[in-house]
Amino acid sequence: MESHPSYKSLSEILPRYPQTAGSIFQTFNDITLAQQWTDVEVIDLPVISRCVFRGRRPKLNPLLYVVPCSLSESLSISWFDEAFDNLGKPDQVYLAINTPDSSIVYYKITPGIVKPPV
């Protein structure tokens, strides 16, 4: 991991969260290299024991938030509440679920209960 070119951007945050370092590293590489997000910032959120990424998808103006995690983690409603509160209560965040084979699935998470369109 240390020899990868993107490690420099994450070198300060990864040692703080060794249990989620793989998810953080994989998500950062996916959004910056594969999806080519711009203006990507690393936001340290010790209250949820990891960092969050803020940036823009190509050709879209709004800032979006991505929270990396692994498939094996158990996350609670209160964990999500803490994340939303500490991010300034955005309308939504994307949960980047990393699998052992390096696949990532993104889920859009919104606060509260939202009725799906019928």
Side-chain angles (χ1 to χ4, degrees):
M1 184 183 312
E2 290 86 4
S3 62
H4 194 277
S6 65
Y7 181 79
K8 184 178 179 182
S9 301
L10 300 170
S11 63
E12 291 184 26
I13 203 80
L14 291 175
R16 293 182 199 161
Y17 307 111
Q19 291 188 336
T20 57
S23 298
I24 291 168
F25 187 73
Q26 192 67 30
T27 300
F28 179 80
N29 286 326
D30 186 59
I31 65 174
T32 59
L33 302 175
Q35 296 188 41
Q36 299 183 341
W37 282 35
T38 58
D39 305 323
V40 175
E41 296 177 65
V42 180
I43 301 169
D44 188 10
L45 280 186
V47 70
I48 62 167
S49 301
R50 74 198 65 223
C51 70
V52 174
F53 301 111
R54 179 174 55 199
R56 300 179 197 284
R57 289 185 4 211
K59 300 179 184 174
L60 292 179
N61 194 29
L63 282 170
L64 302 173
Y65 294 90
V66 178
V67 180
C69 71
S70 74
L71 184 60
S72 61
E73 286 184 84
S74 294
L75 305 175
S76 67
I77 298 296
S78 62
W79 186 90
F80 284 110
D81 286 341
E82 289 288 341
F84 273 96
D85 287 346
N86 284 275
L87 289 171
K89 301 189 185 239
D91 293 336
Q92 63 189 21
V93 299
Y94 288 90
L95 187 63
I97 303 171
N98 291 254
T99 64
D101 70 354
S102 298
S103 299
I104 301 178
V105 176
Y106 292 90
Y107 282 93
K108 182 168 62 171
I109 308 292
T110 57
I113 298 174
V114 178
K115 180 181 176 192
V118 180

